[in-house]
Amino acid sequence: MIYQVIIPQPVQKQLINFPKEIQTRLILATQLLAEHPRPNGVKKLKGYEGIYRIRVGDYRIIYEVRDKELIILLLSFTHRKDAY
């Protein structure tokens, strides 16, 4: 099953603020989520239903998985020091 990845406008603005190399890595990781929404190394965030994070170097992608609708909603691209 292929999931649709939705990147809201505020999250797109976060991505633009990163260096090009980091942007490329984050975009690649996001594309991989469409096929595998819970890849190896994914962590479910405690206290939230369906919210996960994956690590991409020193950066984190925080996202919500909606299995019934086959949607992945990106919530944040952040440096690890600012992620939580």
Side-chain angles (χ1 to χ4, degrees):
M1 293 186 298
I2 301 291
Y3 284 69
Q4 177 184 1
V5 178
I6 298 174
I7 307 174
Q9 189 68 28
V11 179
Q12 290 176 18
K13 287 183 181 181
Q14 288 176 344
L15 183 61
I16 291 170
N17 291 329
F18 293 122
K20 291 290 183 192
E21 177 184 322
I22 302 303
Q23 286 180 19
T24 303
R25 292 177 63 198
L26 291 172
I27 290 169
L28 178 62
T30 301
Q31 291 171 343
L32 294 175
L33 286 176
E35 294 181 28
H36 305 286
R38 294 173 189 89
N40 289 337
V42 69
K43 300 279 184 170
K44 184 177 182 315
L45 296 185
K46 294 179 182 178
Y48 298 98
E49 186 67 32
I51 306 290
Y52 299 87
R53 71 122 172 111
I54 58 171
R55 192 180 105 185
V56 180
D58 286 340
Y59 297 87
R60 303 296 182 261
I61 300 174
I62 300 173
Y63 62 99
E64 179 180 357
V65 177
R66 298 179 183 172
D67 288 314
K68 291 180 183 179
E69 302 156 348
L70 295 178
I71 290 176
I72 294 175
L73 177 64
L74 296 181
L75 303 174
S76 178
F77 291 113
T78 57
H79 192 276
R80 68 183 187 146
K81 68 180 181 183
D82 302 321
Y84 310 104

